[in-house]
Amino acid sequence: MANESFQEYKKLVNEIANGMEQVKQLRASSSSGNQERVLETMLTSYEEALLILNEISPEGQDQSMMISSSDLPDRVLETMLTSYEEAPFLNEIAPEGQDQSMISSSSDPPDSSVTHSLKKRRLLPMTTMLVRADSGVVPDDGYSWRKYGQKEILGSRYPRDYFRCAHLYHQKCLASKQVQRSDDDPNIFEVKYRGTHTCMRPAPVPPPLE
DNA sequence: CAAATTTGACCTAA
DNA sequence: TTAGGTCAAATTTG
């Protein structure tokens, strides 16, 4: 069934992938710190958008209940718009050619109901790794962390611990991590890292395996 | 004593 | 409202 919505779907995927590629190139050639950060945010959004598209990909048998072809682009566009709002300077770098249509905001419509919510804080993605802890204690990863919370997680047998870099105050190091014992194997811990250390502290030895 | 942890309260997105 | 993330006062640790 190569119906219309499927064609649209493929087109959308291409557009996003294409835009993502552009951002990557842009990132590779610029060096300003702030721009770098913004580009990083945008890249993340693109990736999220593609993930969403994958989740609801029309490949499955039940195509009939596939998105009404309008609420899907809405989700994607909302995600992307958030990023573009954080990157006004990009208006000047308007890429040659096509995909302006995705950036609907350039010639502001007067009563955009979207403009009110421009204060979204976008958090960095977490990278997860599994760590063996035969002694029941999580091996040191070389950084000094300070624990700031612990939570019971619904459906998990063990609580989740919250840490952030111990140098948050002396330096602006925003790195943080979460640790949670695995449900199935008590000797395995799931360690999630967010952000990278700006403090150049001791041996940054990222733990093994994943 | 300072510094790190514990733990219930607080905050907020879904 | 709930679940998950964070704050911060009390407590423990070194």
Side-chain angles (χ1 to χ4, degrees):
Chain A
M1 301 314 171
N3 56 23
E4 270 186 65
S5 68
F6 181 63
Q7 296 284 24
E8 297 253 352
Y9 172 87
K10 276 163 70 179
K11 237 186 131 185
L12 183 50
V13 170
N14 278 339
E15 289 291 354
I16 296 175
N18 196 27
M20 193 161 121
E21 204 37 55
Q22 306 250 48
V23 175
K24 279 182 180 172
Q25 280 179 235
L26 229 178
R27 177 183 58 175
S29 61
S30 102
S31 54
S32 155
N34 192 36
Q35 286 192 194
E36 180 106 293
R37 195 197 125 264
V38 173
L39 290 177
E40 213 46 65
T41 300
M42 294 182 59
L43 246 191
T44 300
S45 290
Y46 276 122
E47 282 160 7
E48 280 178 14
L50 283 177
L51 276 182
I52 293 172
L53 282 173
N54 264 348
E55 283 171 10
I56 41 189
S57 130
E59 304 278 30
Q61 58 277 66
D62 204 0
Q63 285 214 59
S64 55
M65 68 182 331
M66 191 190 138
I67 355 79
S68 59
S69 77
S70 62
D71 72 71
L72 177 146
D74 277 350
R75 282 181 72 188
V76 174
L77 283 179
E78 184 189 359
T79 307
M80 293 177 59
L81 263 181
T82 302
S83 295
Y84 274 93
E85 281 166 359
E86 288 187 26
F89 73 91
L90 272 181
N91 287 338
E92 304 172 15
I93 318 182
E96 59 219 305
Q98 77 278 42
D99 51 355
Q100 300 257 54
S101 55
M102 319 254 331
I103 322 174
S104 60
S105 63
S106 36
S107 54
D108 276 4
D111 97 298
S112 122
S113 56
V114 196
T115 39
H116 61 74
S117 62
L118 34 104
K119 288 220 122 178
K120 274 197 97 162
R121 231 314 162 239
R122 179 153 293 270
L123 32 126
L124 305 165
M126 300 190 102
T127 69
T128 305
M129 33 197 24
L130 301 180
V131 175
R132 281 209 73 87
D134 304 306
S135 56
V137 71
V138 191
D140 190 6
D141 59 12
Y143 291 106
S144 53
W145 301 97
R146 192 173 85 217
K147 182 174 175 178
Y148 67 90
Q150 171 174 316
K151 262 310 214 197
E152 299 293 332
I153 300 304
L154 202 77
S156 298
R157 332 207 271 137
Y158 305 98
R160 177 179 300 162
D161 291 345
Y162 298 87
F163 302 84
R164 67 173 133 241
C165 181
H167 309 106
L168 171 63
Y169 297 125
H170 305 282
Q171 321 191 17
K172 285 280 188 277
C173 190
L174 297 202
S176 67
K177 77 169 178 178
Q178 300 180 359
V179 176
Q180 184 172 12
R181 187 189 292 259
S182 164
D183 278 347
D184 358 287
D185 185 347
N187 281 8
I188 296 290
F189 284 78
E190 192 176 76
V191 182
K192 298 177 178 176
Y193 291 92
R194 165 179 292 150
T196 46
H197 287 266
T198 57
C199 63
M200 47 298 148
R201 264 306 76 150
V205 180
L209 71 122
E210 64 174 272

